[in-house]
Amino acid sequence: QVQLDESGGGSVQAGGSLRLSCAASGDARSTDCVAWFRQVPGKEREGVAGMSLYDSTTSYVDSVKGRFTISQDNAKSLVYLQMNSLTPEDTGMYYCARRRGFCPQIQRTYAGAYKYWGQGTQVTVSS
């Protein structure tokens, strides 16, 4: 089992930045696949960034490319999501997710591919 705990959410004005953190405990492995998702009420959970911890390759949804960066601190079992140039459309509950095994790019932002989920951290961007 893997436990995930997100932090770093908050309220920010458009154009601002936030850094989300996801701390993993339990049987987290350095070869896992990790991702960040976001969800707003009434909509499906959307994958925004994914990463293979094995080779540090990353994937992003088009709407966040160039603004968001997913990264890891292996020594601390932490995964980050640096979010810059935030817009009101980025508002939502952000979740980190993690799973074992091969991490093909096509699956990195697909919610159904992930087994472990955190409780989420709210991000609110005002105009």
Side-chain angles (χ1 to χ4, degrees):
Q1 288 290 332
V2 176
Q3 294 76 45
L4 302 175
D5 185 22
E6 304 98 333
S7 61
S11 297
V12 64
Q13 288 193 329
S17 298
L18 285 172
R19 188 177 80 159
L20 306 183
S21 299
C22 177
S25 59
D27 193 21
R29 300 180 188 176
S30 61
T31 54
D32 287 345
C33 191
V34 297
W36 287 95
F37 292 79
R38 66 186 177 196
Q39 190 169 25
V40 296
K43 292 190 176 182
E44 290 188 357
R45 195 166 292 190
E46 175 191 34
V48 297
M51 182 175 188
S52 167
L53 298 185
Y54 174 72
D55 60 13
S56 299
T57 54
T58 58
S59 304
Y60 299 92
V61 68
D62 285 347
S63 62
V64 308
K65 284 181 181 177
R67 300 189 299 122
F68 290 13
T69 303
I70 185 171
S71 62
Q72 62 169 316
D73 181 340
N74 251 348
K76 299 180 180 179
S77 295
L78 286 168
V79 174
Y80 302 105
L81 184 68
Q82 178 67 44
M83 306 186 294
N84 299 327
S85 302
L86 285 161
T87 73
E89 288 69 37
D90 296 316
T91 293
M93 185 70 78
Y94 281 70
Y95 300 89
C96 68
R98 197 167 179 126
R99 68 174 181 85
R100 295 276 183 265
F102 185 53
C103 193
Q105 286 206 358
I106 196 170
Q107 290 184 0
R108 288 180 190 173
T109 53
Y110 172 54
Y114 290 85
K115 180 176 181 180
Y116 304 109
W117 293 85
Q119 294 300 307
T121 185
Q122 178 67 35
V123 171
T124 302
V125 184
S126 58
S127 58

